Amino acid sequence: MIKDWLDQVRWDENGLVPAIAQEIETNDLLMVAWMNRDALKLTVKVGEVIYWSRSRKRLWHKGEESGHVQKVHDIRLDCDADVILLKVKQIEGIACHTGRYSCFFRKLEGSGLDVCWTIDEPVLKDPNRIYK
Amino acid sequence: MIKDWLDQVRWDENGLVPAIAQEIETNDLLMVAWMNRDALKLTVKVGEVIYWSRSRKRLWHKGEESGHVQKVHDIRLDCDADVILLKVKQIEGIACHTGRYSCFFRKLEGSGLDVCWTIDEPVLKDPNRIYK
């Protein structure tokens, strides 16, 4: 019997794998969160990204509160089968809870080891207006 | 006193964070591995990516055996400070130990829940020729 596609994913000891969301048009990285078996199955079924929230310990339909839904285009798996890559269209162009386009808004600046993290992406929408 | 840039990273209970390598020119995702404090510091110092190998329990200068070094262009940190994004130039255009460009060479194909993982990237170099 052929192994089920969900069984081919190497879920960790908590039944989770990291899932990376990448914007389909630009290939920009948007965010990283976690998925369990149900989250991945529902994501495929619904066509929108559903993560597992480790803090809230429940399924988290991305954008359920903010409207910043992620429409699924492609789903990929890495060679070790322990990381998922989601190619998505990010609705409203805001993935981050800080109101920014991407969660990777901090960049290491400086020279040698004399460096610091600087913010180089603007807030597009006030989080107070995103989460009422 | 300002917190050190290495202290600003939220290392997990094992002192690690996931690190994503992304090709600087195309924004394609290459691979995901892990870094500890020393790995990140050395990466910044040397200008080439050095991961922490969880299986071998030692620092792993990517390409040390294969020559498939990753030259660092940018280093970014996400909003939770627990994922590192490395923008790199992948030397020889092969990131994966299978001899492929990217580790994300498997794609979910099908319709509805009738899906399976298929391989859609060619092997560019026989792994037996990469690792002698």
Side-chain angles (χ1 to χ4, degrees), chain B residues 64-124:
Chain B
E64 60 193 8
E65 245 193 285
S66 62
H68 301 160
V69 166
Q70 296 176 332
K71 299 276 183 189
V72 178
H73 283 252
D74 279 337
I75 300 181
R76 306 187 74 95
L77 185 65
D78 77 343
C79 53
D80 295 328
D82 59 3
V83 183
I84 300 273
L85 170 57
L86 306 153
K87 296 212 160 197
V88 304
K89 176 70 208 150
Q90 175 64 59
I91 300 304
E92 287 199 47
I94 298 175
C96 188
H97 74 284
T98 63
R100 292 182 177 86
Y101 168 54
S102 160
C103 291
F104 292 92
F105 57 79
R106 278 185 284 196
K107 187 178 171 179
L108 201 62
E109 295 274 15
S111 68
L113 286 173
D114 187 19
V115 289
C116 63
W117 300 107
T118 57
I119 293 178
D120 78 343
E121 270 195 36
V123 172
L124 301 175

Side-chain angles (χ1 to χ4, degrees), chain A residues 8-20:
Chain A
Q8 286 180 51
V9 178
R10 277 179 52 203
W11 309 100
D12 73 8
E13 63 278 14
N14 300 310
L16 303 174
V17 289
I20 305 171

Side-chain angles (χ1 to χ4, degrees), chain A residues 74-123:
Chain A
D74 280 336
I75 301 182
R76 306 187 74 93
L77 184 65
D78 78 343
C79 52
D80 295 328
D82 60 2
V83 182
I84 300 273
L85 170 57
L86 307 153
K87 296 212 158 196
V88 304
K89 176 70 209 152
Q90 175 63 61
I91 301 303
E92 285 199 49
I94 298 175
C96 189
H97 74 285
T98 63
R100 292 182 177 87
Y101 168 53
S102 163
C103 291
F104 292 92
F105 57 79
R106 279 183 284 195
K107 189 179 171 178
L108 201 61
E109 294 273 14
S111 68
L113 286 173
D114 187 18
V115 289
C116 63
W117 300 107
T118 57
I119 292 177
D120 78 342
E121 270 194 35
V123 172

Side-chain angles (χ1 to χ4, degrees), chain A residues 43-44 46-50 70-75 86-89:
Chain A
T43 294
V44 170
V46 173
E48 296 180 353
V49 181
I50 292 154
Q70 296 176 334
K71 300 275 183 189
V72 178
H73 284 250
D74 280 336
I75 301 182
L86 307 153
K87 296 212 158 196
V88 304
K89 176 70 209 152

Side-chain angles (χ1 to χ4, degrees), chain B residues 11 23 26 30 46 49 60 69 89:
Chain B
W11 309 100
E23 173 63 43
T26 58
L30 298 172
V46 173
V49 180
W60 161 38
V69 166
K89 176 70 208 150

